[in-house]
Amino acid sequence: MFNKLFDDNVSFDVVRLLASWSCHQNVAVRWHNTVSKPFAIYNGTRQGSALSPYLFVPYIRDILLCITNSYIGCNIGGCMVNILACADDLVLLAPSWRALQLLLDKLHSIGDTLDMICNSSKTVCMVVNPKRRCNMVAYQFPNFMVNNVTLNYVNEFKYLGHVVSTSQLDDADIHRERRNLFYRCNMLTRRFSTCSVAVKLRLSKTFCFCFMILDFGVILRLEHLPNFSLLM
């Protein structure tokens, strides 16, 4: 990571300060009102630190460049899309089984050079079939492999707090937000029943009517593509 900071022309003194800071950091685990004894961490970035995203971006840049430069992925509006990334939460997109397996092989290869391992226990695959049956190339596919581990197929998974499903519908997210709305309204009614109407309205606007926006910005409608593979 520090070598990559040098490649970005970061000052030597700043990199040395960050290296010294990372090699002499102590952390503790808090559980309710109990705090564990501090212990040393000699690598990695601190969770929740404002500086961690800036340090992690140069570290993971090689993975993103390796995947994007492969030109294996989905052509959406003339733009090649094959990976979505938010910190270490990655989604690979490919129009076929073979294409996605090639992306997995590239991900595993570049991960070895960076001393990063794909967590197969948290990695799943999903196939989104086209709406037109004439565009379907198969109903079943072989299992994907990464680091000699078989990945499981799922019908839906959660990415950045949103549920993505093979139906390409938002029903799961809508039902979740409805439950959250009922929960928040009941909580405010119980805890702030003696407050004034103005305070209740303010709390309701803040905690009850915060509608979630899909992080992807667009809904992918891949009706004219063959079986669309997606991996998290």
Side-chain angles (χ1 to χ4, degrees):
M1 181 177 66
F2 302 115
N3 290 332
K4 296 182 182 300
L5 293 178
F6 284 130
D7 295 337
D8 293 339
N9 296 322
V10 178
S11 173
F12 175 80
D13 293 334
V14 174
V15 176
R16 185 173 63 176
L17 175 62
L18 293 174
S20 177
W21 185 15
S22 299
C23 295
H24 298 86
Q25 57 181 346
N26 293 324
V27 298
V29 178
R30 180 188 299 273
W31 178 258
H32 295 291
N33 296 325
T34 304
V35 180
S36 69
K37 295 182 179 179
F39 55 93
I41 294 181
Y42 301 103
N43 56 9
T45 57
R46 295 191 302 170
Q47 184 176 4
S49 173
L51 186 61
S52 295
Y54 295 97
L55 297 178
F56 189 72
V57 167
Y59 190 75
I60 202 175
R61 183 189 302 152
D62 290 344
I63 291 180
L64 302 181
L65 291 177
C66 177
I67 298 299
T68 55
N69 292 336
S70 67
Y71 298 104
I72 302 173
C74 300
N75 190 333
I76 303 176
C79 180
M80 178 63 66
V81 179
N82 54 13
I83 187 170
L84 305 175
C86 180
D88 60 341
D89 293 326
L90 303 180
V91 173
L92 298 180
L93 305 173
S96 65
W97 183 94
R98 179 59 178 169
L100 186 56
Q101 186 60 59
L102 288 175
L103 292 180
L104 283 173
D105 294 339
K106 288 183 176 294
L107 180 67
H108 175 63
S109 177
I110 190 64
D112 283 343
T113 62
L114 298 176
D115 196 21
M116 296 181 66
I117 300 176
C118 179
N119 190 344
S120 56
S121 63
K122 295 183 178 180
T123 303
V124 295
C125 305
M126 189 175 74
V127 176
V128 180
N129 293 320
K131 290 186 177 181
R132 297 180 181 179
R133 291 185 176 271
C134 60
N135 291 332
M136 296 182 63
V137 297
Y139 290 93
Q140 293 182 346
F141 296 91
N143 290 324
F144 291 99
M145 300 288 294
V146 59
N147 195 23
N148 296 324
V149 177
T150 301
L151 303 180
N152 296 323
Y153 284 100
V154 296
N155 292 324
E156 65 178 28
F157 68 87
K158 183 178 291 186
Y159 180 66
L160 301 181
H162 296 283
V163 179
V164 182
S165 66
T166 56
S167 63
Q168 304 184 51
L169 299 177
D170 299 327
D171 293 353
D173 272 332
I174 293 174
H175 291 320
R176 183 195 59 185
E177 288 302 318
R178 289 176 59 185
R179 291 194 299 268
N180 290 337
L181 177 62
F182 294 147
Y183 170 77
R184 293 166 186 166
C185 290
N186 291 332
M187 181 188 66
L188 293 179
T189 302
R190 183 176 67 255
R191 295 185 180 182
F192 302 96
S193 59
T194 59
C195 295
S196 62
V197 176
V199 172
K200 292 180 180 178
L201 290 176
R202 182 73 177 188
L203 292 173
S204 299
K205 292 179 180 179
T206 303
F207 296 102
C208 297
F209 301 103
C210 50
F211 295 104
M212 303 296 292
I213 301 176
L214 193 63
D215 291 330
F216 302 114
V218 295
I219 299 177
L220 304 179
R221 297 295 182 183
L222 306 176
E223 300 179 5
H224 303 291
L225 288 178
N227 300 64
F228 172 73
S229 302
L230 186 148
L231 178 140
M232 177 186 177

